[in-house]
Amino acid sequence: MLQRPPRVAAIHDLSGFGRCSLSVILPVLSVMKVQVCPVTTAVLSTHTGGLGDVVVEDLTRMLAPTLAHYKKLGIEFECIYSGWLGSSEQVDIVLDYLRAYPDALAVVDPVLGDHGKPYRTSTPEHIRRMGELVAAADVITPNLTEAMLLLGEEYTGAPLRQQESRQLLSRLAGKGPRYVVITGADMADDHIANLGYDREQGQYWRIDCNYVPASYPGTGDIFASVLVGGLLGGDSLPMAMERATRFLEVAVRTTFSYGSDTRYGVMLESCLSWLTSPQTFERYRLL
Ligand code: PXL
């Protein structure tokens, strides 16, 4: 029996303004009773989503010595969770962390792009290297754009039918991960859904999202964090997906009602208590 909260090494950047990466991962997982140990890849003044000239300090040089220090201390992690990575060198280092903790749940959020387009930093080489990380993961959480980039497919924006969405999930699982979750999939039945696949159980899941006509940075980080917190707390895959989907709906609807600048992210502070309230699960369906 684990006599302490589960512990996660969160290998992410810290963007000071804009509510993404470690700024949201720390509060979300902490409130879900998970200990987060930030392994900070870079410090930025803001995220890179349209807030002007970002000030960046790369911290790659700290990452390998930090791993060596944790190993020397004999610190265990139940989960290694990576997200936005600034370079291929950082991909190598995340692979070293995964190898150093082979029993930990390996969660890779392959941050590469959104709305059908790769981010400026997502060169073909970076996409290929992110594919290597996906192959070493137990759980991946791409959005639909990232799923297509990882599969080397063109993003057409065409709505997905059941068979196509199942194929996308199983092809990604074929690269290695047991659990694949694709967020923000435009479905042929006019819903936007989060899709999941558990390769070992052979089961496909979907949770439809209530649409809000605005998009905010950091929502992928919040989704993956709630998913991680749920799985470490004993949720099944569809339960963890439903928890993450519904929490984001609360956060997005709260924020949208204020009409605030979308680049500032979602008003997480006002919503965190939702994560501590008991839930019943009634929205997940088989895909
Ligand atoms: O939320 C993903 C993310 C994380 N970190 C930085 C980013 C982004 C997305 O734009 O710019 C620095």
Side-chain angles (χ1 to χ4, degrees):
M1 191 172 57
L2 200 59
Q3 287 283 290
R4 55 168 174 76
R7 188 181 290 145
V8 179
I11 312 174
H12 292 259
D13 68 276
L14 177 64
S15 293
F17 184 83
R19 296 191 183 99
C20 74
S21 53
L22 285 172
S23 302
V24 298
I25 292 162
L26 276 155
V28 164
L29 281 166
S30 298
V31 90
M32 294 180 83
K33 296 190 166 51
V34 173
Q35 179 188 0
V36 190
C37 304
V39 177
T40 313
T41 56
V43 176
L44 294 87
S45 51
T46 69
H47 58 66
T48 58
L51 286 166
D53 294 331
V54 181
V55 185
V56 187
E57 181 72 28
D58 181 90
L59 296 178
T60 305
R61 66 186 182 284
M62 287 193 62
L63 304 178
T66 298
L67 173 60
H69 188 195
Y70 292 161
K71 276 286 165 185
K72 193 167 169 199
L73 287 170
I75 294 185
E76 292 300 328
F77 292 103
E78 280 65 51
C79 174
I80 307 287
Y81 163 33
S82 74
W84 189 86
L85 296 171
S87 65
S88 291
E89 196 185 346
Q90 291 189 347
V91 173
D92 285 328
I93 294 166
V94 175
L95 285 167
D96 288 340
Y97 274 76
L98 298 182
R99 279 190 282 264
Y101 291 98
D103 297 332
L105 185 73
V107 181
V108 171
D109 186 7
V111 178
L112 289 171
D114 207 356
H115 308 293
K117 293 199 186 68
Y119 293 134
R120 200 170 26 82
T121 47
S122 301
T123 59
E125 171 65 4
H126 189 63
I127 295 169
R128 190 184 66 74
R129 297 304 320 280
M130 196 61 99
E132 283 180 42
L133 213 46
V134 161
D138 300 307
V139 184
I140 61 168
T141 57
N143 59 35
L144 188 58
T145 304
E146 291 158 348
M148 296 311 220
L149 287 169
L150 288 167
L151 290 170
E153 299 259 331
E154 199 190 334
Y155 179 97
T156 62
L160 294 175
R161 299 183 185 284
Q162 183 206 42
Q163 208 47 34
E164 293 165 289
S165 41
R166 283 184 175 210
Q167 268 173 19
L168 285 179
L169 291 161
S170 67
R171 283 173 63 202
L172 285 168
K175 292 181 178 290
R178 170 179 174 177
Y179 295 128
V180 175
V181 177
I182 298 179
T183 57
D186 217 335
M187 305 300 283
D189 55 15
D190 280 344
H191 285 98
I192 293 176
N194 293 329
L195 312 174
Y197 177 51
D198 177 340
R199 179 164 46 75
E200 280 175 24
Q201 297 204 334
Q203 268 176 323
Y204 296 88
W205 305 99
R206 78 180 265 184
I207 293 138
D208 293 345
C209 309
N210 290 326
Y211 178 71
V212 171
S215 131
Y216 299 88
T219 49
D221 299 325
I222 295 171
F223 182 91
S225 301
V226 178
L227 190 85
V228 167
L231 291 174
L232 292 177
D235 280 357
S236 63
L237 179 65
M239 283 165 70
M241 286 173 59
E242 179 168 337
R243 198 186 290 282
T245 304
R246 285 174 42 202
F247 179 63
L248 267 181
E249 282 174 3
V250 170
V252 166
R253 288 186 85 83
T254 300
T255 312
F256 186 70
S257 74
Y258 286 88
S260 49
D261 189 327
T262 56
R263 297 172 303 173
Y264 295 3
V266 294
M267 293 181 176
L268 190 68
E269 312 77 31
S270 315
C271 308
L272 275 176
S273 60
W274 186 92
L275 287 170
T276 58
S277 57
Q279 302 298 330
T280 51
F281 298 89
E282 54 229 19
R283 285 208 7 222
Y284 70 83
R285 290 193 279 148
L286 282 167
L287 170 67

